[in-house]
Amino acid sequence: MKVPTEPVLRARALGVGYRDRQVIHALDLRIEPGSVTALVGPNGSGKSTLLHALARVLTPTDGVVELDGTPITSQRSVAVARRLALLPQSALAPPGATVTEVVDQGRYPRTGALGMLRRGPDDAVREALGLTGLEDLARTPVAQLSGGQRQRVWIAMALAQQTDLLLLDEPTTYLDVRHQLDLMELVVRLRDEQGKTIVMVLHDLNQAARHADRIVALRDGRILADGPPAEVLTPRVLHEVFDIDALVLTDPVTSRPMFVAR
Amino acid sequence: MSRLLRAVLLVLSAASVAVGLVAAHLLVGRSELSAGEVVEVLTGRSDHGAARVIVLRYRLPRVLLGLGAGALLAMSGVLVQAVVRNPLAEPATTGVGSGAALGVVAATMLGFHATYAAALVGALGAGLLLLLLGRRSPAVAGILLGAVLAAVTALLLVVDSSPTSSVMRWLVGSLNARTAGDWSALWPWLATLPVAAWLLAPWMNAWALGAAQAISLGVPVRTTRVVVLVVAVVAAAVAIAAAGAVAFVGLVAPHVARLLVGSDHRLLVPVSAALGAVLLAGSDLIAFSVGIDLPGARDVAGVPVGAVTALLGAPVLVHLVRKELR
């Protein structure tokens, strides 16, 4: 397990906005290597926008995102794609494309455009299909899959990129309880076995508390709380971030905090 | 692998159909030539001067132009569809075709006969406008742009109606009265553009996943968009310079290719080109056979191939629109 000394990903005084509206304001964030970080917050709090800026899909209006100590926007796009993979919320399946064909696209940053012209699915693709339990669906058109299966295809594609950093935008949204649990266990396994760094946007706070090492709670584009689940999942933070009156208990299975709305 | 195999078989069968089309085009015409005479001309053993002119100057270039322009139009269709992310797009519906036709018509009226240059200028201008206007919804912008450019062309024809019949063939698309000179202008493009289009396949495959995903994979979306659009526009302009603004080939061939080999552009580009080639040359055989006894069939005024492709293509368009709306 390699542990870089520099923080792999870092936002400094980051501002992100769209034409008429500033979403993220002067935000500082360090993502520690080999950790699982959950970004939580109400709708419109800027958590997806932050994730997209960290993945350089959105260009900051202020400040900078650094990857391995250099601004991410000054690095070659392919070089960044070898370090960092993004699971977007709204990925599109090309009509008629099979699971393998889509997952195979994850190899682009490694092989380059010319490589993609001649090669077929390799070991990395097969490994990604295996980790997400998609071997049996490998030749099925993505359009025929259920929402949950489709979500696993996008995750497999991100895994096929073989990056140290994985940014996941609401990875559990379309999944049933069983597959949500499978996915969270996969995330923890990738951290433990391959030393990957994972940042994910989650809606389910209990899920975040159960599986993440650290929770970053956003509201109106600012970080209101940041720390281990036990520090963030408190009645005070839940009130400040989500406007809810909550009771925080200890999960009898994991001993992590969990909340119930009053 | 099965899709690769299917693509190879499709290209091979299209090639054999193309050979059949060449044979048919060489044999069908108002001057009766026997197969033996045609073979003699092709092998250089004929001393029948009129037969040589008919075969080498008219019939062979015409079918080769049909095959080549059809392949380029279909290829351009695949590329344009990737750029605007819409299977209904093709050179004719994105303003690129109208731009090329406008260029040729304007040049003809002004007395210039540099058809290729005029088509390229018109198509590149339209492509540039498409990039500028179509950031939000390129498909809609393309349709509007095409309508505006077609209106400008129509206005030109109202102002000066003298060259109407020779101009009409660019607007509808016609291979009537094309000669060996037209073929020698087309083939260098035909030798290069398909290779260029095929090399762009990995980018188009990545875009198909959505812009955020393509950026995340390290594909420089902005630059590659321009590169692909330029290749698409040049291919369309060249095809239109050779055969006029034939509609629907760029729509039908990629659509059928997608049904047969899926959405991997590495297969889609060659299979679409092969299907487009036989589609246009086949339609031209129909146009020519239908019009053979009409007055002026040898002339520019014969039945234009664009009319045949429009009749064949309209049902496909209706089907695609219904599928999109569902």
Side-chain angles (χ1 to χ4, degrees):
Chain A
M1 202 172 107
K2 66 172 191 189
V3 182
T5 42
E6 277 289 292
V8 259
L9 199 56
R10 180 168 194 170
R12 285 178 196 267
L14 182 71
V16 192
Y18 303 99
R19 194 170 295 176
D20 47 352
R21 176 170 72 92
Q22 194 69 12
V23 179
I24 302 283
H25 310 270
L27 184 143
D28 289 291
L29 183 67
R30 277 168 65 118
I31 302 296
E32 303 300 332
S35 66
V36 174
T37 305
L39 302 179
V40 303
N43 292 333
S45 59
K47 52 195 190 303
S48 277
T49 303
L50 172 60
L51 196 79
H52 280 86
L54 292 176
R56 58 84 175 78
V57 171
L58 287 174
T59 312
T61 48
D62 298 294
V64 67
V65 173
E66 290 173 355
L67 176 65
D68 304 325
T70 25
I72 199 163
T73 43
S74 70
Q75 301 185 33
R76 282 186 62 221
S77 198
V78 168
V80 174
R82 289 189 195 128
R83 294 282 290 131
L84 173 160
L86 169 72
L87 170 84
Q89 212 178 74
S90 55
L92 302 161
T98 64
V99 170
T100 306
E101 283 174 345
V102 169
V103 175
D104 192 37
Q105 296 303 313
R107 301 304 293 151
Y108 180 94
R110 294 282 169 191
T111 64
L114 283 177
M116 292 301 284
L117 272 176
R118 43 192 162 79
R119 49 170 296 288
D122 54 15
D123 286 343
V125 172
R126 278 184 284 276
E127 191 194 329
L129 290 172
L131 283 169
T132 47
L134 287 168
E135 299 105 323
D136 296 340
L137 296 170
R139 301 181 130 218
T140 312
V142 176
Q144 288 174 19
L145 301 181
S146 70
Q149 290 167 330
R150 225 176 274 194
Q151 186 70 339
R152 284 190 279 148
V153 173
W154 302 120
I155 291 159
M157 187 173 95
L159 290 177
Q161 264 176 267
Q162 293 189 313
T163 56
D164 289 336
L165 265 156
L166 274 174
L167 306 186
L168 312 175
D169 196 359
E170 297 188 23
T172 53
T173 300
Y174 296 102
L175 304 182
D176 61 37
V177 178
R178 171 74 257 160
H179 286 114
Q180 289 195 18
L181 211 54
D182 284 349
L183 180 76
M184 285 298 123
E185 279 163 8
L186 174 62
V187 163
V188 170
R189 230 172 88 207
L190 290 169
R191 178 200 61 193
D192 293 343
E193 293 173 11
Q194 304 186 12
K196 287 194 197 285
T197 308
I198 292 125
V199 184
M200 54 190 177
V201 171
L202 289 181
H203 264 304
D204 184 337
L205 291 172
N206 287 334
Q207 198 167 57
R210 181 168 176 158
H211 302 283
D213 302 317
R214 171 187 179 195
I215 299 179
V216 177
L218 285 104
R219 179 165 181 165
D220 299 328
R222 292 188 176 83
I223 294 174
L224 285 198
D226 180 358
E231 287 174 23
V232 175
L233 212 66
T234 60
R236 188 186 58 83
V237 173
L238 288 171
H239 178 73
E240 278 175 12
V241 175
F242 290 98
D243 290 330
I244 51 173
D245 189 9
L247 179 68
V248 174
L249 311 165
T250 302
D251 182 334
V253 180
T254 59
S255 312
R256 300 266 187 134
M258 60 180 281
F259 88 97
V260 189
R262 268 192 227 267
Chain B
M1 272 303 138
S2 71
R3 279 181 166 175
L4 175 60
L5 188 65
R6 203 188 293 179
V8 171
L9 291 176
L10 276 165
V11 171
L12 289 178
S13 13
S16 50
V17 173
V19 170
L21 285 169
V22 170
H25 269 275
L26 291 181
L27 292 171
V28 175
R30 268 198 292 189
S31 321
E32 303 258 337
L33 288 183
S34 72
E37 282 173 299
V38 170
V39 171
E40 276 183 7
V41 170
L42 290 179
T43 52
R45 288 184 288 120
S46 173
D47 47 10
H48 184 351
R52 290 181 51 182
V53 169
I54 290 168
V55 171
L56 296 180
R57 188 167 156 71
Y58 293 105
R59 291 189 183 173
L60 187 60
R62 176 173 182 155
V63 63
L64 292 179
L65 276 168
L67 291 168
L72 290 177
L73 284 171
M75 226 179 65
S76 178
V78 173
L79 268 55
V80 166
Q81 284 156 19
V83 170
V84 310
R85 307 190 49 87
N86 191 320
L88 293 177
E90 65 144 323
T93 57
T94 46
V96 173
S98 315
L102 173 60
V104 174
V105 169
T108 310
M109 288 184 157
L110 294 171
F112 296 118
H113 292 287
T115 314
Y116 277 77
L120 277 171
V121 168
L124 285 170
L128 187 67
L129 283 173
L130 183 64
L131 272 186
L132 292 176
L133 302 174
R135 269 184 209 170
R136 285 284 159 83
S137 51
V140 175
I143 290 168
L144 294 175
L145 187 61
V148 170
L149 294 174
V152 174
T153 309
L155 198 65
L156 284 181
L157 290 174
V158 169
V159 173
D160 178 5
S161 60
S162 52
T164 306
S165 75
S166 66
V167 152
M168 280 314 282
R169 73 176 188 177
W170 303 111
L171 295 182
V172 185
S174 166
L175 288 161
N176 296 327
R178 304 283 173 175
T179 63
D182 294 303
W183 170 246
S184 46
L186 179 68
W187 76 258
W189 298 97
L190 210 50
T192 46
L193 286 171
V195 178
W198 188 72
L199 290 173
L200 305 174
W203 292 341
M204 296 191 277
N205 282 343
W207 293 351
L209 306 166
Q213 193 61 67
I215 295 170
S216 155
L217 287 172
V219 176
V221 173
R222 275 187 207 160
T223 33
T224 56
R225 243 173 87 93
V226 174
V227 172
V228 173
L229 190 66
V230 165
V231 174
V233 164
V234 171
V238 165
I240 287 167
V246 179
F248 291 114
V249 173
L251 182 76
V252 174
H255 175 59
V256 175
R258 247 184 215 108
L259 290 178
L260 294 172
V261 298
S263 55
D264 184 341
H265 286 80
R266 291 178 295 177
L267 306 179
L268 204 50
V269 168
V271 170
S272 299
L275 293 177
V278 297
L279 181 60
L280 188 59
S283 302
D284 187 42
L285 190 64
I286 297 175
F288 182 67
S289 313
V290 168
I292 197 162
D293 293 324
L294 298 177
R298 272 258 159 261
D299 210 341
V300 290
V303 174
V305 64
V308 177
T309 60
L311 284 176
L312 294 175
V316 179
L317 180 63
V318 170
H319 166 73
L320 275 176
V321 170
R322 286 186 55 172
K323 211 171 87 177
E324 284 284 293
L325 293 178
R326 219 178 290 148

